[in-house]
Amino acid sequence: TFANDPLKKDKRIWFTMTAEFSLNGSLLVRSYGTEVGQPDSVHIRNGKDKPILPGTSVAGALRGRAKRILNVLHDNDDTKVRHHLNDLFGDDNMKSEKAKASRLIVEEHEITEGVVDLVQNRVAIDRFTGGAKDTALLSEQPVFGKKGTIVKLGFTIREPENRDMGLLLLLLKDLWTSDLSLGGGSSIGRGRLSGNKACFEWKQAGQDVKPWSIETNKDGSLSISSMRDEMEQWARAVRDE
């Protein structure tokens, strides 16, 4: 009898986005050396000694930029902004009954084909005089981009609302156009990405997955495979809801 019973359809709701970027310049998410002769700071690596982009670092940058976007769209209405941020990114106020985990999951990926063996020596700047500090020489070993370097980002929103997907698209736009930098050293031009391709999947309760993609053409224009109207509605929902 069990074999004859039809399986219930998957009722989970989720929205995923996987995007690939080129690296413009360099990227540095700091880890600190403990051995003599090592640079003062080195881009973080995994157990295979491969450079990675940690999900926690990306999530922090996205939350900060999302707050700026929502402040503009909601005329600095702190209640609306805080509610939307905490609803999507989570609320860690343990003294409140509203504490909750994030519905946005940010994946961790290796950075492929990056240059990792170059050390850059720098000096700290005295904010008062504008000159170099006498004893503040420091060395950094970031990941430098070259032709073929790929930085991959992956996101999943559980139980997404239209405004959640719209906000993620607005954040993707800022990453895609190098307006939102990741990691440290953004003041000297580090962490700027340039979008190549993004693939999306939208799963609604009891329905099949809807896939589509956005890709940069050779002339710099964008190709969007489908879902143009839906994406426009989601972007508007960030403001209207």
Side-chain angles (χ1 to χ4, degrees):
T1 57
F2 179 79
N4 295 328
D5 289 339
L7 296 177
K8 293 183 178 180
K9 287 191 175 182
D10 188 350
K11 294 184 178 181
R12 291 177 297 176
I13 305 173
W14 42 260
F15 177 78
T16 65
M17 180 180 75
T18 303
E20 293 185 356
F21 301 86
S22 300
L23 177 57
N24 295 335
S26 61
L27 174 66
L28 180 62
V29 180
R30 289 183 176 88
S31 64
Y32 297 95
T34 58
E35 300 179 8
V36 176
Q38 285 187 328
D40 296 312
S41 57
V42 179
H43 184 85
I44 191 169
R45 306 187 183 196
N46 59 15
K48 300 178 182 179
D49 201 32
K50 299 292 185 180
I52 60 172
L53 185 53
T56 50
S57 177
V58 177
L62 293 183
R63 181 168 186 143
R65 177 52 60 92
K67 184 177 181 180
R68 293 179 59 183
I69 292 173
L70 293 173
N71 274 325
V72 171
L73 294 178
H74 295 309
D75 296 324
N76 293 308
D77 187 328
D78 186 62
T79 301
K80 286 185 178 180
V81 172
R82 186 169 61 251
H83 172 74
H84 192 172
L85 279 178
N86 291 343
D87 182 54
L88 179 59
F89 289 92
D91 185 355
D92 63 353
N93 185 3
M94 301 307 295
K95 296 180 180 179
S96 169
E97 296 180 356
K98 297 181 180 180
K100 59 178 294 186
S102 172
R103 289 189 293 111
L104 175 65
I105 301 170
V106 184
E107 300 173 4
E108 178 178 288
H109 289 281
E110 290 184 4
I111 300 171
T112 59
E113 300 298 325
V115 179
V116 297
D117 55 355
L118 298 178
V119 177
Q120 186 176 41
N121 295 313
R122 300 178 54 220
V123 294
I125 300 299
D126 189 317
R127 294 184 180 181
F128 181 71
T129 65
K133 291 184 178 179
D134 294 335
T135 59
L137 179 67
L138 53 98
S139 57
E140 297 174 337
Q141 191 172 7
V143 178
F144 288 92
K146 63 177 183 179
K147 186 177 181 180
T149 300
I150 296 296
V151 179
K152 188 176 180 181
L153 299 177
F155 309 94
T156 300
I157 304 177
R158 298 174 296 181
E159 302 293 330
E161 299 180 13
N162 286 350
R163 65 179 185 179
D164 300 326
M165 296 183 287
L167 183 58
L168 188 59
L169 289 173
L170 294 176
L171 293 169
L172 172 64
K173 175 185 71 68
D174 286 355
L175 289 169
W176 198 280
T177 58
S178 304
D179 187 64
L180 173 58
S181 299
L182 300 178
S186 60
S187 61
I188 60 170
R190 297 201 200 281
R192 295 180 298 110
L193 307 179
S194 179
N196 297 331
K197 184 177 182 180
C199 299
F200 307 86
E201 290 186 348
W202 185 27
K203 172 66 174 62
Q204 296 174 283
Q207 299 183 21
D208 295 331
V209 175
K210 296 180 180 178
W212 74 98
S213 63
I214 299 175
E215 191 166 0
T216 300
N217 300 318
K218 292 182 179 180
D219 61 358
S221 62
L222 292 180
S223 293
I224 304 177
S225 61
S226 62
M227 303 289 284
R228 288 175 176 266
D229 293 338
E230 288 83 354
M231 288 193 293
E232 182 66 26
Q233 292 174 6
W234 298 340
R236 290 176 179 174
V238 182
R239 178 194 62 199
D240 297 338
E241 294 185 17

